Amino acid sequence: MADQQAPGGPSLKIEKIYLKDLSLENPGAPQSFTSQEAPQVEVSLRSRGEQIEESVFECLLTITVTAKTGDKTLFLVEAAQAGVFRISGVPLSEVQPVLAIHCPNVLFPYARETIADAITRAGFPPVVLNPDNFEAIYQQSREGQAQATAAPASQIITPTTSH
């Protein structure tokens, strides 16, 4: 078949996709529904991967959306979308980019749908999340780690991604 990898070649197979955690806070309801001020929406994301067994990895993509007017939080939604992936034909030393780039790209549409649904159920219009460039995020993270390694021990450099 044309869609199968050659034996021994690199392959990424989705074993399972699931929602690991979902949190919704709507602290100002019902008064927050009467606000005429346009909310400031902040989106942050992070991902991590870990090996479960030989050639099997879990990737976790966590997206947090916070909407505020002034100093009042209208809502906060955090979804941790996870997947179990079988990665074969890739040396273990080279798996990290697969977990940091390709797996989050697979999980993102599921997390985006979960976030939009939770916000709608909270009584607000859905927030449409634009796709992120996980390769650029990974590169920034690696550059940040390299700088942290070269930085004095008193400095902590942590790259974050927010919109």
Side-chain angles (χ1 to χ4, degrees):
M1 290 183 189
D3 62 339
Q4 289 185 344
Q5 294 281 337
S11 71
L12 173 69
K13 181 180 178 198
I14 301 167
E15 297 283 327
K16 185 78 170 172
I17 293 179
Y18 54 98
L19 185 62
K20 192 160 189 168
D21 191 22
L22 177 62
S23 173
L24 168 66
E25 296 177 25
N26 193 354
Q31 291 79 10
S32 59
F33 301 127
T34 61
S35 174
Q36 299 301 315
E37 188 178 340
Q40 297 295 316
V41 177
E42 181 181 314
V43 178
S44 66
L45 59 92
R46 63 189 180 281
S47 67
R48 69 168 178 78
E50 66 181 63
Q51 188 169 11
I52 299 171
E53 57 187 59
E54 186 176 341
S55 300
V56 180
F57 300 84
E58 179 190 53
C59 179
L60 185 66
L61 175 62
T62 304
I63 300 177
T64 305
V65 178
T66 307
K68 293 183 176 186
T69 54
D71 63 345
K72 293 183 181 177
T73 299
L74 295 177
F75 64 82
L76 184 144
V77 177
E78 183 172 83
Q81 188 70 50
V84 175
F85 299 88
R86 183 169 301 277
I87 302 170
S88 55
V90 178
L92 194 55
S93 63
E94 297 176 21
V95 166
Q96 186 57 37
V98 176
L99 288 172
I101 299 168
H102 300 292
C103 296
N105 273 322
V106 170
L107 297 174
F108 185 80
Y110 296 94
R112 177 176 44 201
E113 181 180 359
T114 299
I115 293 282
D117 184 56
I119 292 169
T120 301
R121 289 179 182 272
F124 297 95
V127 173
V128 179
L129 302 176
N130 291 317
D132 270 298
N133 183 339
F134 289 102
E135 185 171 3
I137 293 168
Y138 175 70
Q139 292 303 328
Q140 289 172 352
S141 173
R142 294 202 25 103
E143 289 169 9
Q145 288 172 354
Q147 290 174 1
T149 303
S154 62
Q155 290 183 332
I156 299 174
I157 301 171
T158 306
T160 58
T161 303
S162 297
H163 300 284

